[in-house]
Amino acid sequence: MKTSLTTSAAGKTRLRLAVRGAVQGVGFRPFVFRLATGLQLAGWVNNSPQGVFIEVEGPRAMLEKFLLRLEAEKPPRSFIQSLEASWLDVADYTDFEIRESETGGGKTALVLPDIATCPDCLREILDPANRRYRYPFTNCTNCGPRFSIVELLPYDRANTSMKSFTMCPQCQAEYDDPRDRRFHAQPNACLVCGPRLELWQGRTGFQPVSDSNKNRDRRDACPTNNDALLAAAQGICEGKIVAVKGIGGFQLIVDARDEAAVKRLRERKQREEKPFALMFPSLESVKAECEVSPLEERLLRSAECPIVLLRRLSTLNSQLSTSIAPGNPHLGAMLPYTPLHHLLLAELGFPVVATSGNLSDEPICTDERDALERLHDVADDFLVHNRPIVRHVDDSIVRIMLDRELVLRRARGYAPLPISLSSQLSTFNSQPVLAVGAHLKNTVALSVGNQVFLSQHIGDLETEQANHAFRRVIADFEKLYEAKPQVIAADLHPDYLSTTYALERRAPARLESTALNQAETVLDVPLIVRVQHHIAHVLSCMAENELSPPALGVSWDGTGYGTDGTIWGGEFFLVTDKTVERAAHLRPFRLPGGERAVKEPRRVALGLLYENFGDSIFERKDLAPVAAFSKTELAASKTMLAKQLNSPVTTSMGRLFDAIASLVNLRQQMRFEGQAAMELEFALDGVNTDEHYNLSPVTGHPSLVLDWSPMIEAILSDVQKGVATGRISAKFHNALAEAVVAVAERIGERRVVLSGGCFQNRYLTERTVRRLQAEGFQPYWHQRVPPNDGGIALGQIAAAIRGQHEIVNHKS
Ligand SMILES: [Zn+2]
Ligand SMILES: [Zn+2]
């Protein structure tokens, strides 16, 4: 059931929109004024070098109406290339005004994200009479590649990867004509002069044909494009895996209805159970498989065109392979966003799996030769083109939660749009700060003035490939924004690759001193600040909600290095102007086997049970986690726990989820990160109860402690009584929401910030937000920045600016 969100006491909230695109000089501001006043909303609209900014304030339902009508009824000559929404606290506007245009101030050049094909271009490629009929690289000033082709600023064709394509006279004429939709459209191209497709055969004997192509008569280009496309489509219909070079990297595509093909993709990609995203030929075909609300529909069709997590309809009538997202009530769905995808999907007429073109956990391939090398064991065919991809940009993932957007992976369509820091933060800051992010789901960020440029998703820094991508993105950002960071913010974890990188840059660099003409030693970056992982989560959420202290931060995730050297993850912080204090945490327990426990919920459960019951637990073969071990394994774990060997101490909430999943025998070993917690969430689907276990804060030193012991005993008793897993899961989730309320009451702070990977969990987030509101607290959660580790870099920047960190000064 869809539930609506109650907002502040007065029932009012504030919506800020940053609108970019063809929205200036087309009557957009008067239109916004009419729309807002017609809906009796207060606020303002203005023009700035960065786009049109709108703030409207009023009842939630009216603001949603405003948002939907803004897109649906916008002036005919306008086109929205990017729209980012933030829901903020009310500012108490009394009327609606068109404000003076901002001129000076933020002169930072903006690079726009890649934009999904606009309706005009789509019409052209489907019109047999048009000269761009079926041309897969059609674009205009309203759509097409941006971030993925820019090499340098300013954004001119000579500074993009389109520079090697000389425009034909017709394209040049469009490009030069101020009345044309392609006036100064930097990637402008057509069949005659632009990039072309080729189909390379991978597994069955590859022949690179591109070199001979250079000399080929240009008239041949037209059939080449179409033939390659049709051959790729044919392959997909036959169950082949086709690697497609898209806008920001390769995707692996197979027929989503073909069970054997999807299974083959899983085997070859070494991705056993993690859900695959789908691309559908049309909105109607999405609706045949999923529930789609008006906000979700807007998102699917937006210029950002992300993967949207949608609730599946009954799988009884589904035509999709069961291996796409086993046991998952949601599907990641997207619509075609380039002419190439539109043509391919129109040819196929059925949904396809469209997953990143990489081996599990590596960054996506962007270059066809690299793709051929890395993916030759995965893909049967390669549909490639000769427009170089300057930087990798994955598909973004967004879901609607509590009736607003929540970005889970920020990449295509969003990166590298900046997050503006509130004036309170930015006044302290004049020097550029680089934040190098976390270890998993890594992103980096660079602050320039009051803008924070958050990078596209880079991925887990586990492989050499990812390490390269990480360094490449940092170099890229510093070059693009001509910013030399004076401060680098890094995680507290001493072994993170990102931390090592930051410390390397503190090392002396040689610089020639012109005055004395002798070598002088200087530091590349004078200051490194180390920020605790979970504090960064909270500050990230506060920054994007423009919230100043004080606030109580709830930071729940799998793993982060604590200031005491243990593994944190079930943390509460009281953030004030000057300090961040650890206000509460989960009762600690040990993880027998260390790293291995992260992949084996049974180990986590064993650690938890041992903490509570001691040695006797090893005799309890009636308990699912104990029974999940062999005799030898169990003996080894016993030694580890008894002697405290390779059994690190943790307060991680992510691990508590794993332990519960193991206790109810839902999952003992994981195939991908977060699987047990996801399955525990899915298990409560359809259960409707307010019952909860007891997870109350008890006084500890120096922080409150959430003692899970009574809850674990109650769960064991419920399991014994045969209570359904879904009900146990619901009572567990509810207990967590109650724990947040109880800690907030004990601490006495009204504003509560929810961050960390656990708050990707929809039930947990919704329940906690509602319970907090019901008890008179004001909850804040993520919107444009991921709650997971993809948002850490923003929090690190906020910490560096606020001075809430441990400073590593250079030795002078
Ligand atoms: Zn267009
Ligand atoms: Zn042309």
Side-chain angles (χ1 to χ4, degrees), residues 117-121 139-144 181-182:
T117 311
C118 76
D120 289 334
C121 286
N139 65 79
C140 72
T141 41
N142 287 333
C143 72
R181 201 171 92 247
R182 297 196 165 89

Side-chain angles (χ1 to χ4, degrees), residues 615-779:
D615 270 346
S616 67
I617 204 65
F618 298 103
E619 309 311 318
R620 293 288 303 274
K621 300 282 159 52
D622 58 314
L623 301 178
V626 182
F629 285 97
S630 73
K631 227 177 169 174
T632 358
E633 287 171 329
L634 203 59
S637 300
K638 188 176 176 177
T639 312
M640 281 193 265
L641 285 166
K643 299 197 169 162
Q644 305 189 349
L645 293 169
N646 191 22
S647 301
V649 172
T650 190
T651 53
S652 161
M653 182 57 77
R655 294 294 87 79
L656 186 65
F657 268 87
D658 292 353
I660 309 302
S662 167
L663 288 178
V664 298
N665 207 16
L666 196 58
R667 180 153 297 274
Q668 304 297 353
Q669 312 221 31
M670 291 202 278
R671 308 282 185 197
F672 60 89
E673 194 220 343
Q675 187 180 22
M678 270 172 64
E679 288 175 349
L680 199 59
E681 181 191 0
F682 299 156
L684 59 70
D685 216 35
V687 180
N688 195 357
T689 181
D690 288 329
E691 274 185 276
H692 59 86
Y693 295 116
N694 175 16
L695 183 67
S696 308
V698 294
T699 307
H701 293 286
S703 317
L704 296 172
V705 174
L706 289 180
D707 184 7
W708 35 258
S709 171
M711 178 171 78
I712 295 301
E713 283 169 34
I715 290 176
L716 289 178
S717 151
D718 273 358
V719 170
Q720 223 150 35
K721 281 187 271 179
V723 174
T725 300
R727 191 161 198 89
I728 295 177
S729 172
K731 286 166 75 176
F732 166 65
H733 280 78
N734 293 349
L736 299 184
E738 295 311 314
V740 172
V741 172
V743 171
E745 273 165 357
R746 286 282 292 266
I747 300 297
E749 175 50 53
R750 204 180 69 85
R751 305 190 299 174
V752 183
V753 175
L754 309 176
S755 189
C758 291
F759 291 102
Q760 297 174 100
N761 179 321
R762 182 177 177 147
Y763 184 92
L764 177 68
T765 310
E766 293 185 346
R767 178 91 192 175
T768 308
V769 163
R770 277 205 208 89
R771 285 292 299 124
L772 283 167
Q773 286 170 338
E775 301 298 329
F777 294 96
Q778 179 65 49

